[in-house]
Amino acid sequence: MDVPTLRPPRHRVSRTAIWYWAARAALGWLILLAAQVIWLVADDAGVPLSAHVIGLAATAVVAAAHVTLMPLWRYRVHRWEATPAAVFTQSGWFRQEWRIAPVSRIQTVDSERGPLEQLFRLANVTVTTASAAGPIKVGGLDRDTAQRLVAELTANAQATAGDAT
């Protein structure tokens, strides 16, 4: 009897997710940099100008590295696959996670797009199961792929005998 080997899920997320993750990270860093600039301009406490400049420069260097490297790393790691039997995901960048959910355990399948994701024409699919580990999330899919995945998982779940518990 052949024992199936554990392998990474087959599909990568959309390449556009790289730009989405970079933009999302950049927005967070811009807020921090803006706060540092406001502190520099409004500082009456006597913190030396050089300390402010060093802080701004350090923040800018770390931000540039994060905005450049994190999206590429996540793109290399994030994968997904749906078969008639199960949904497979691999995600994370520091802490990586593999999840497998049998189709017979699927309770709901949802698609969601936030404002920034809509700008990049991306969507997320959430597969809720009876697992205590929580739902399986597939983020960074292009809209058409997300719609097809929702339809496929819904059809597979309806065609599978079981009570999803």
Side-chain angles (χ1 to χ4, degrees):
M1 178 171 162
D2 289 333
V3 176
T5 58
L6 188 58
R7 60 171 174 71
R10 289 193 175 140
H11 308 292
R12 290 188 186 267
V13 298
S14 171
R15 281 197 68 81
T16 306
I18 295 170
W19 295 105
Y20 164 73
W21 289 324
R24 199 169 119 192
L27 287 173
W29 284 107
L30 286 174
I31 291 168
L32 179 59
L33 285 165
Q36 285 180 293
V37 168
I38 291 168
W39 182 32
L40 167 70
V41 172
D43 186 22
D44 292 343
V47 174
L49 179 62
S50 61
H52 282 293
V53 171
I54 290 170
L56 278 167
T59 301
V61 167
V62 173
H66 180 244
V67 168
T68 303
L69 299 175
M70 176 274 296
L72 297 172
W73 179 260
R74 286 182 73 177
Y75 181 74
R76 292 188 69 169
V77 172
H78 285 227
R79 295 174 178 268
W80 65 276
E81 183 176 352
T83 68
V87 180
F88 305 83
T89 62
Q90 178 182 333
S91 63
W93 59 296
F94 275 133
R95 186 180 143 267
Q96 295 180 14
E97 177 181 67
W98 286 41
R99 300 278 308 271
I100 301 170
V103 169
S104 64
R105 303 285 299 220
I106 293 176
Q107 293 176 329
T108 61
V109 181
D110 302 302
S111 179
E112 172 264 323
R113 296 180 309 142
L116 193 55
E117 289 155 327
Q118 289 180 44
L119 182 65
F120 285 92
R121 304 181 63 96
L122 296 173
N124 303 307
V125 174
T126 302
V127 180
T128 306
T129 67
S131 170
I136 289 182
K137 297 184 184 230
V138 183
L141 299 177
D142 67 77
R143 286 190 302 192
D144 294 338
T145 301
Q147 288 174 344
R148 283 192 306 273
L149 180 58
V150 168
E152 179 184 341
L153 290 174
T154 301
N156 289 347
Q158 289 175 341
T160 302
D163 62 358
T165 59

